[in-house]
Amino acid sequence: MKYKSVFDIIGPVMVGPSSSHTAGAARIGLLARSLFGGQPDHADIYLYGSFKDTYRGHGTDVALIGGLLGFDTDDDRIITAEKQAKEANLHVQFIEMEEERSHPNTALLHLIKGDERLTVEGISIGGGKIELVSINDYDINVSGNYPTLLIFHKDTFGTIARVTTILGNNEINVSQMNVSRKEKGDIALMTIELDDEIGNHILEEVRTAEGVDRVIEMKES
């Protein structure tokens, strides 16, 4: 496990009571909002394991809502997130799931706004640290600690090389990279964590590269 600072070890500045069930949940909601490109109108949130068993007592519910509203882990408004959501016309429904997941602190968020849909699965691994493990049923492994590109692309020869060449030509260093696909030859998902944020001109180069279908930029949280 890599830590960026001493605060990753002692835990984040946060609204309590739990770093894993409150701060971690808020970060899952915040990163889901970032991937969605803003606030959804409706969110169905499926809770598994310990999240399901203790979410009311540990504030997991208001933390997830707060994250979707754009509140960071230390934002006092998390405490009144349900009221804030009503005022912001955000409707949230929690569904308790008996199914076991790979991690006990798991939340799956299905976000809706008009015709837009996004499903994000996140886990809270302790100390306020989280991982996003799935987006729209594609397996990923994103921490949110680094600027990240999520690139939906055609599963054809050369697409990955074209994207990495663009980054290399612009002297952008890759921290971690993963490719996930559902079926051979279909749309695949490339996730690239970067050491630094990239400029709009580089992002546009990636977006217009041959074989690239859609790009989501997630900034460091």
Side-chain angles (χ1 to χ4, degrees):
M1 179 79 67
K2 293 182 179 180
Y3 298 100
K4 297 178 69 178
S5 75
V6 67
F7 297 106
D8 289 339
I9 301 172
I10 63 175
V13 178
M14 67 173 198
V15 174
S18 168
S19 61
S20 60
H21 286 62
T22 316
R27 290 201 67 221
I28 291 172
L30 197 59
L31 290 181
R33 174 192 170 95
S34 176
L35 288 171
F36 194 65
Q39 180 190 301
D41 291 333
H42 181 91
D44 289 322
I45 302 180
Y46 300 83
L47 300 174
Y48 299 83
S50 180
F51 268 6
K52 170 187 71 73
D53 295 335
T54 64
Y55 71 96
R56 291 190 181 93
H58 282 174
T60 305
D61 48 355
V62 291
L64 285 163
I65 294 171
L68 289 176
L69 290 169
F71 304 162
D72 210 337
T73 56
D74 60 347
D75 196 318
D76 289 338
R77 291 175 296 174
I78 285 176
I79 299 169
T80 59
E82 289 178 312
K83 177 184 176 183
Q84 302 276 350
K86 290 179 181 178
E87 294 175 354
N89 295 316
L90 168 60
H91 180 264
V92 180
Q93 179 178 2
F94 289 95
I95 301 99
E96 300 177 12
M97 303 296 293
E98 297 298 332
E99 171 192 345
E100 290 189 3
R101 264 333 202 229
S102 60
H103 194 281
N105 299 333
T106 297
L108 187 149
L109 293 75
H110 183 59
L111 310 181
I112 301 170
K113 184 173 184 177
D115 294 331
E116 296 180 58
R117 302 286 189 277
L118 182 74
T119 300
V120 178
E121 182 174 349
I123 61 174
S124 178
I125 59 178
K129 299 177 74 66
I130 66 105
E131 292 177 3
L132 299 184
V133 297
S134 175
I135 176 172
N136 288 350
D137 295 325
Y138 288 93
D139 293 332
I140 63 173
N141 181 13
V142 173
S143 66
N145 293 328
Y146 301 92
T148 303
L149 297 179
L150 293 94
I151 304 169
F152 294 89
H153 62 94
K154 295 176 183 176
D155 182 31
T156 54
F157 176 80
T159 304
I160 295 172
R162 280 188 283 274
V163 170
T164 54
T165 297
I166 291 170
L167 296 176
N169 288 343
N170 287 278
E171 300 183 350
I172 302 298
N173 195 46
V174 173
S175 170
Q176 177 176 279
M177 178 176 174
N178 182 64
V179 178
S180 176
R181 65 183 185 183
K182 298 176 184 178
E183 293 184 16
K184 182 180 179 181
D186 202 351
I187 296 295
L189 174 60
M190 189 187 333
T191 57
I192 306 177
E193 290 188 318
L194 308 170
D195 283 349
D196 302 291
E197 292 186 6
I198 62 175
N200 289 333
H201 67 288
I202 304 174
L203 191 61
E204 188 60 24
E205 276 192 75
V206 174
R207 284 196 171 114
T208 56
E210 183 182 348
V212 171
D213 184 64
R214 180 189 177 203
V215 178
I216 300 175
E217 181 186 21
M218 187 168 72
K219 297 184 182 296
E220 180 181 359
S221 66

